[in-house]
Amino acid sequence: KLLITICLLATSATAALDWERTDVNLQVHPVQLDADTVFRFKNTGRETISLRDVKVTCGCLAPKLEKRAFAPGETGELKVRFDLRGRTGPQSKAVIVQTSDGATAKLNLVVDIPKAYSVAPIMMKWVESNAAPTKTAKLVNATARPIKLLAAVSSDPAVAIELKTLRAGFEYEVVVTRPPAGKNIRAVIRLNAEPPPGFAEGKALKFYVHAL
């Protein structure tokens, strides 16, 4: 009887977080900058439990807790922001949570980031002074949803550019005029896309210019 009593006391003193879900599959727009999700949990134990350590498997994840200690029966949320900039294709990342009862939870985030546009060429070069004064970059959106390009901006004003719409939301050209010969110029051409619904800003597309 004494042994049974000790075991029952030990069990009752064990705190535990019950996670509503540990796997999230995010759906995102091709030019979305970031995506937010929430992992909800409840302290189903009989003791206060603390989230002692929250680690991420990628710097692209930013977890946020309002507090770390939760009383028995109390619920909480771990918010996570996934930075999508510079990323396309399948992504699988995780948040590792260690709690004061010695337990470890792995929270998985999976997202397949569609590529907004293919850009060709991605590097535009002039290596000879007698080369054609202009070159053209072609941009094609292969997804089913239209993504409008609003403006093209050069990091160097000596590189003149013109954005041409071939099929709004799907096909564009950027005509680049080389700067005067004899100037070694490197520039980034930034194309601003229309933000996704509900967002103030969208990803920018880029290609590069090098004129000797």
Side-chain angles (χ1 to χ4, degrees):
K1 289 183 178 179
L2 179 60
L3 179 60
I4 294 173
T5 302
I6 292 173
C7 289
L8 289 173
L9 288 172
T11 302
S12 66
T14 300
L17 287 190
D18 182 18
W19 295 88
E20 184 179 275
R21 58 178 179 172
T22 56
D23 295 279
V24 170
N25 196 322
L26 297 170
Q27 303 296 319
V28 300
H29 189 280
V31 295
Q32 191 171 324
L33 288 174
D34 50 54
D36 295 328
T37 193
V38 176
F39 292 96
R40 296 182 175 86
F41 55 84
K42 182 178 181 179
N43 181 357
T44 57
R46 297 188 179 182
E47 299 286 339
T48 295
I49 191 168
S50 298
L51 280 70
R52 287 185 171 174
D53 195 15
V54 179
K55 296 180 179 179
V56 296
T57 60
C58 175
C60 58
L61 299 182
K64 181 180 179 182
L65 278 169
E66 296 298 330
K67 63 176 190 174
R68 287 184 176 266
F70 297 86
E74 189 176 0
T75 60
E77 294 181 344
L78 173 60
K79 298 178 180 178
V80 182
R81 173 160 289 185
F82 196 147
D83 187 342
L84 307 174
R85 286 173 290 188
R87 297 178 180 275
T88 57
Q91 310 283 319
S92 181
K93 311 299 178 185
V95 181
I96 311 298
V97 180
Q98 295 179 334
T99 49
S100 55
D101 62 346
T104 299
K106 184 181 179 184
L107 311 175
N108 302 297
L109 294 92
V110 175
V111 59
D112 190 357
I113 307 170
K115 186 174 183 178
Y117 275 88
S118 61
V119 183
I122 197 70
M123 171 64 78
M124 187 179 288
K125 290 184 178 181
W126 278 273
V127 295
E128 298 177 1
S129 59
N130 61 348
T134 64
K135 291 181 182 289
T136 300
K138 297 184 182 297
L139 298 95
V140 178
N141 170 17
T143 72
R145 68 182 81 186
I147 303 170
K148 292 183 180 179
L149 298 183
L150 306 178
V153 181
S154 172
S155 63
D156 191 320
V159 179
I161 55 176
E162 180 187 3
L163 176 63
K164 292 184 175 182
T165 301
L166 302 183
R167 190 160 64 100
F170 293 97
E171 292 183 54
Y172 294 84
E173 289 183 346
V174 180
V175 179
V176 182
T177 302
R178 68 170 296 162
K183 292 187 177 181
N184 188 1
I185 289 181
R186 297 177 186 270
V188 179
I189 308 302
R190 178 187 175 101
L191 297 125
N192 298 323
E194 183 177 48
F199 289 82
E201 186 181 358
K203 284 182 185 177
L205 307 173
K206 297 178 182 178
F207 68 93
Y208 305 90
V209 172
H210 184 196
L212 299 178

